């Protein structure tokens, strides 16, 4: 049973009445909840200290280290939710895909998937493959108490892009070529990745995650028609697979202004919005029945405190009419960002929205 689940006749769990989960459920909140994508990690000196000399993927497989890194921004910034520290390629590594995360580059796949025979790399994921996730979440929920933990995974399209390209790509030429040239192979690839992603999220929820976020980092490269035809079925399969747990399901992508409605239609309870679309306009595109998450431009945090507050006020004003709002950046925390600026931002949002 997840930490968010509150079945009839039973007492709600510790996180159920948190501001974050209330906002995700579109219920009244004591203040607008705040968390940041990439809050656990590279902008924090305490993170750099504990990660020193430890490769990224190895750090994701050490439960005590994962727990410490995940907790660091909660202690420092007083955010309303923790995000599980991991990487979107962890489940692929766990099933034996030959990949590594190269510093300054990102995930690099030794044998890219280009043919049907290459699909053999993608076997089913079992809980035993990611035992360290279960152990780490157990440690975290014991420490977090009433603060929810967000589990996460990479969406099928973004995982497919890394697998087909062999690493990060600006134009996704191999990915789109496969999608257009062999739509059946493409569909089979995404379906298999949807199974793996669903299994990975289930492990996190069953271990105690209170919500999950599906990151589709690269899907903004697609036109809406291509998304609906070639991507949405796999994303929907993931959301459907975890629907019965009752945890909020968040969907986020970068440059997805034209896809916001479809991303909500895929099955998300909360749609993440980057900084390119104001939240009131995003609400119009998404339609009723969904909470929104976002969407301060991360670069604003490098400006003066007065400027940060002015831009934050604009976000809060645009969110004033929303059914539910979780404050976040429009993308992840940057490595060179001043941690104190993030702490001030949390305090400002909490103060300005206290009810």
């Amino acid at each position: 049973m997840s930490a968010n689940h509150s079945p009839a006749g039973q007492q709600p769990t510790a996180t159920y009445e948190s501001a974050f989960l209330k906002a995700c459920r579109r219920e009244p909140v004591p203040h607008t909840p705040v968390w940041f994508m990439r809050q656990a990690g590279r902008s924090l000196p305490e993170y750099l200290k504990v990660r020193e000399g430890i490769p990224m993927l190895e750090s994701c497989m050490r439960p005590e280290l994962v727990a410490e890194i995940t907790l660091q921004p909660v202690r420092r910034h007083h955010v309303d939710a923790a995000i599980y520290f991991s990487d979107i390629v962890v489940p692929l590594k766990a099933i034996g895909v030959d990949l590594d995360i190269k510093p300054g580059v990102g995930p690099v796949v030794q044998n890219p998937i280009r043919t049907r025979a290459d699909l053999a790399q993608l076997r089913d994921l079992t809980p035993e493959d990611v035992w360290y996730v279960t152990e780490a979440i157990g440690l975290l929920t014991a420490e977090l108490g009433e603060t929810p933990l967000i589990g996460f995974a990479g969406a099928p399209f973004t995982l497919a892009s890394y697998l087909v390209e062999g690493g990060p790509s600006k134009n996704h030429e191999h990915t789109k070529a496969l999608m257009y040239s062999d739509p059946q192979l493409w569909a089979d690839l995404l379906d298999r990745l949807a199974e793996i992603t669903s299994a990975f999220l289930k492990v996190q929820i069953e271990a105690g995650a209170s919500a999950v976020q599906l990151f589709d980092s690269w899907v903004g490269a697609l036109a809406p028609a291509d998304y609906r035809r070639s991507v949405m079925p796999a994303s929907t399969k993931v959301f459907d697979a975890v629907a019965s747990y009752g945890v909020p399901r968040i969907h986020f992508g970068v440059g997805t202004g034209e896809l916001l409605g479809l991303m909500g239609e895929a099955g998300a309870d909360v749609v993440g919005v980057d900084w390119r679309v104001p939240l009131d306009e995003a609400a119009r595109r998404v339609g009723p029945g969904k909470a929104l998450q976002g969407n301060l431009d991360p670069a604003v945090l490098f400006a003066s405190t007065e400027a940060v507050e002015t831009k934050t006020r604009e976000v809060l004003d645009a969110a004033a009419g929303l059914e539910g709002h979780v404050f976040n950046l429009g993308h992840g925390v940057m490595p060179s960002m001043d941690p104190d600026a993030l702490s001030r931002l949390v305090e400002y949002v909490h103060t300005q929205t206290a009810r």
Side-chain angles (χ1 to χ4, degrees):
M1 185 173 71
S2 82
N4 177 57
H5 195 50
S6 181
Q10 295 185 25
Q11 286 294 108
T13 50
T15 64
Y16 190 78
E17 294 297 324
S18 65
F20 170 72
L21 291 181
K22 278 177 168 286
C24 290
R25 297 194 301 263
R26 295 175 287 121
E27 297 173 359
V29 292
H31 60 265
T32 298
V34 187
W35 73 278
F36 303 117
M37 289 176 281
R38 292 182 180 154
Q39 67 185 15
R42 53 198 186 166
S43 68
L44 299 179
E46 56 266 41
Y47 165 80
L48 297 175
K49 183 177 180 180
V50 298
R51 269 283 322 275
E52 191 173 1
I54 305 173
M56 178 61 185
L57 282 173
E58 182 182 339
S59 70
C60 295
M61 299 173 188
R62 294 188 183 185
E64 293 82 5
L65 182 58
V66 168
E68 167 59 24
I69 293 171
T70 302
L71 289 166
Q72 286 175 349
V74 179
R75 299 189 196 113
R76 179 186 274 263
H77 303 313
H78 304 293
V79 285
D80 294 279
I83 176 76
Y84 182 74
F85 176 75
S86 187
D87 189 273
I88 64 170
V89 300
V90 163
L92 300 179
K93 183 71 172 180
I95 62 171
V97 175
D98 189 355
L99 60 82
D100 197 8
I101 298 177
K102 303 290 186 183
V105 178
V108 176
V109 179
Q110 188 64 34
N111 301 303
I113 292 179
R114 305 281 172 81
T115 69
R116 181 159 295 279
D118 295 330
L119 286 180
Q121 297 180 55
L122 303 178
R123 66 166 176 83
D124 291 343
L125 178 81
T126 69
E128 291 72 29
D129 292 321
V130 287
W131 62 269
Y132 42 85
V133 173
T134 299
E135 188 170 323
I137 291 179
L139 295 172
L140 280 164
T141 53
E143 288 286 331
L144 285 167
E146 297 179 358
T147 302
L149 175 67
I150 305 168
F152 85 93
F157 175 82
T158 292
L159 293 178
S161 178
Y162 279 118
L163 288 169
V164 174
E165 300 291 338
S169 172
K170 289 184 178 180
N171 300 311
H172 309 282
E173 55 266 37
H174 294 294
T175 304
K176 291 184 177 182
L178 178 60
M179 183 174 72
Y180 297 137
S181 300
D182 195 338
Q184 188 57 58
L185 175 57
W186 173 259
D188 292 345
L189 170 60
L190 259 66
D191 188 71
R192 192 165 297 188
L193 290 170
E195 294 279 359
I196 294 165
T197 298
S198 299
F200 191 52
L201 289 178
K202 287 178 180 179
V203 167
Q204 294 175 68
I205 296 169
E206 291 177 4
S210 296
V212 291
Q213 175 158 306
L214 193 66
F215 283 85
D216 217 345
S217 308
W218 306 128
V219 79
L222 297 182
D226 288 332
Y227 177 88
R228 180 181 287 279
R229 178 179 56 249
S230 302
V231 174
M232 189 170 161
S235 295
T236 297
K237 183 172 184 174
V238 175
F239 286 124
D240 287 349
V242 299
S244 64
Y245 291 98
V247 305
R249 298 159 297 171
I250 310 169
H251 202 8
F252 175 75
V254 185
T256 52
E258 298 301 317
L259 305 178
L260 289 173
L262 292 171
M263 291 175 72
E265 191 179 330
D269 303 299
V270 183
V271 178
V273 184
D274 76 7
W275 68 92
R276 297 171 177 87
V277 180
L279 288 176
D280 49 357
E281 170 60 18
R284 187 189 69 79
R285 297 183 188 188
V286 171
K290 309 285 183 183
L292 296 187
Q293 179 177 278
N295 70 337
L296 184 69
D297 184 346
V300 169
L301 271 295
F302 293 94
S304 66
T305 299
E306 182 181 23
V308 171
E309 291 180 354
T310 297
K311 298 300 289 183
T312 301
R313 187 72 256 170
E314 291 176 7
V315 172
L316 295 175
D317 288 346
L322 300 184
E323 296 180 69
H325 177 221
V326 175
F327 189 94
N328 207 314
L329 302 180
H331 198 197
V333 171
M334 299 179 188
S336 56
M337 200 169 280
D338 178 7
D340 290 341
L342 290 168
S343 297
R344 289 193 296 269
L345 177 56
V346 174
E347 184 179 9
Y348 180 78
V349 173
H350 284 171
T351 302
Q352 291 295 305
T353 60
R355 295 168 178 84

